Amino acid sequence: MRILITGGAGFIGSNIADAFVARGDEVLIVDDLSSGRESNVPKAARLVKADVRSPEARAALESFRPDVLCHLAAQLDVRKSVDDPMFDADVNVVGSLKLLEACKKVGTRRVLFASTGGAIYGEQDVFPADETHPTRPMSPYGVAKLAVEHYLSYYTVVHGFRTTALRFANVYGPRQSPHGEAGVVAIFARKLLNREVPVINGDGSQTRDFVFVGDVVRANVLAIEKDLSGSFNVGTGVETSVLELYDSLRRAAGSDIAPKHAPGKLGEQMRSVLDARLLERHTGFRPQTKLDDGIRATVDYFRSTDV
């Protein structure tokens, strides 16, 4: 297949690109490198440096005429979305629409979209949450991802697209950026290895579903191979507090540094954990990486790189 991956130089996108290249697919990556790294791009893939909202991105898609659009490029910082919801919507909603319109023009009807399970449900009524849970996002980031899912439904019904929205839990692993506010595992790992003191916002009792990037990659490949359609959670079903996560990271790093605490952040939910059994029923997907094993692999990556 010809697969265009937006955000394919980034953390999750580059790992997915590796998997599609390994399958023998022809891969084109569109990434503005605002958070991605050119060194992450597989040698067998081609890179076009462009913002997904730009005429250059549209031209690249129209020239490549992909069989599949795998759309991961995004403004991905929940806190930044709270501070600047207009920018978040411009990148995450308008940018997605520009790509979908280009797909419509050239006949690309297969779209794989990186949505969010961590932010789309809001404060959960049940734990873990499955795909029938009410969607009550508490941040503009979650609102934007949900809006794109609705647009995907529109393009499916009206224009005959076949679309899959994979609602990722909190993804971590090698190549995650330790810079900025997003990516707590990478941020803590880098600080611990540098003998710096990590900061936990709030008391650390807030929980997340931490899923290893290798499992997320497998979910994306299965979605294509099984011709999946609809919205599906991608998570472990295991709820882990930030304090528990910190202890796992500290052990992997061989550190005795205690964290500092800062006030909680506006728009941050307290508990989040996903039920991914619907994806399992349709594809056989099950997460294979236990948290401590994934944390060790992530810390080992940061030991071997200066990122």
Side-chain angles (χ1 to χ4, degrees):
M1 290 183 176
R2 290 191 309 278
I3 301 179
L4 190 154
I5 305 176
T6 68
F11 160 46
I12 302 174
S14 65
N15 280 284
I16 291 173
D18 285 343
F20 284 134
V21 165
R23 276 190 359 140
D25 296 310
E26 183 181 355
V27 175
L28 174 67
I29 289 170
V30 175
D31 196 305
D32 66 0
L33 302 183
S34 58
S35 58
R37 294 163 58 89
E38 192 167 356
S39 60
N40 289 340
V41 175
K43 288 183 173 58
R46 184 161 61 90
L47 170 67
V48 173
K49 184 179 177 182
D51 187 301
V52 293
R53 298 166 292 176
S54 69
E56 291 79 11
R58 183 184 184 103
L61 189 150
E62 291 178 357
S63 174
F64 187 59
R65 303 179 72 88
D67 300 304
V68 178
L69 169 66
C70 183
H71 181 31
L72 291 107
Q75 190 300 110
L76 49 76
D77 191 329
V78 171
R79 292 163 190 164
K80 185 171 183 177
S81 81
V82 173
D83 293 336
D84 193 351
M86 292 182 67
F87 176 75
D88 182 84
D90 190 41
V91 176
N92 291 349
V93 180
V94 176
S96 298
L97 281 172
K98 288 184 175 182
L99 292 170
L100 292 172
E101 284 295 292
C103 285
K104 185 177 71 172
K105 179 179 178 181
V106 302
T108 301
R109 293 294 184 267
R110 190 72 177 92
V111 178
L112 189 58
F113 173 60
S115 188
T116 172
I120 210 167
Y121 297 117
E123 291 294 355
Q124 295 175 206
D125 299 327
V126 295
F127 304 89
D130 66 15
E131 293 81 357
T132 67
H133 191 284
T135 49
R136 300 183 296 245
M138 294 175 60
S139 66
Y141 171 79
V143 171
K145 289 291 190 178
L146 181 58
V148 175
E149 287 197 25
H150 287 308
Y151 277 113
L152 291 177
S153 297
Y154 158 75
Y155 279 87
T156 296
V157 172
V158 176
H159 298 296
F161 279 42
R162 186 140 180 102
T163 65
T164 309
L166 295 178
R167 295 174 173 174
F168 302 159
N170 285 66
V171 188
Y172 72 97
R175 299 183 188 163
Q176 188 172 29
S177 173
H179 308 295
E181 295 291 332
V184 63
V185 173
I187 293 168
F188 285 1
R190 173 50 71 208
K191 284 187 176 295
L192 286 169
L193 291 173
N194 288 346
R195 300 297 299 171
E196 299 172 5
V197 179
V199 176
I200 293 176
N201 295 305
D203 62 7
S205 65
Q206 60 269 43
T207 64
R208 296 294 183 266
D209 184 340
F210 294 98
V211 60
F212 189 65
V213 67
D215 289 319
V216 171
V217 168
R218 205 157 41 81
N220 278 266
V221 172
L222 285 169
I224 296 299
E225 292 180 344
K226 302 294 185 180
D227 197 25
L228 203 61
S229 181
S231 296
F232 297 85
N233 291 338
V234 182
T236 68
V238 177
E239 195 172 1
T240 302
S241 74
V242 174
L243 287 176
E244 290 169 332
L245 175 74
Y246 186 83
D247 282 343
S248 180
L249 280 159
R250 183 182 49 77
R251 290 193 300 271
S255 173
D256 58 359
I257 296 174
K260 289 184 179 179
H261 288 266
K265 295 291 186 177
L266 183 67
E268 184 174 33
Q269 63 202 82
M270 281 304 299
R271 295 178 66 188
S272 177
V273 59
L274 303 183
D275 182 336
R277 286 179 295 178
L278 181 64
L279 183 62
E280 180 183 354
R281 289 197 294 272
H282 281 267
T283 68
F285 170 84
R286 285 187 179 181
Q288 297 177 343
T289 308
K290 294 181 179 179
L291 182 66
D292 283 344
D293 294 335
I295 291 296
R296 279 194 296 271
T298 305
V299 170
D300 287 344
Y301 167 79
F302 282 107
R303 278 198 180 100
S304 66
T305 182
D306 59 359
V307 173

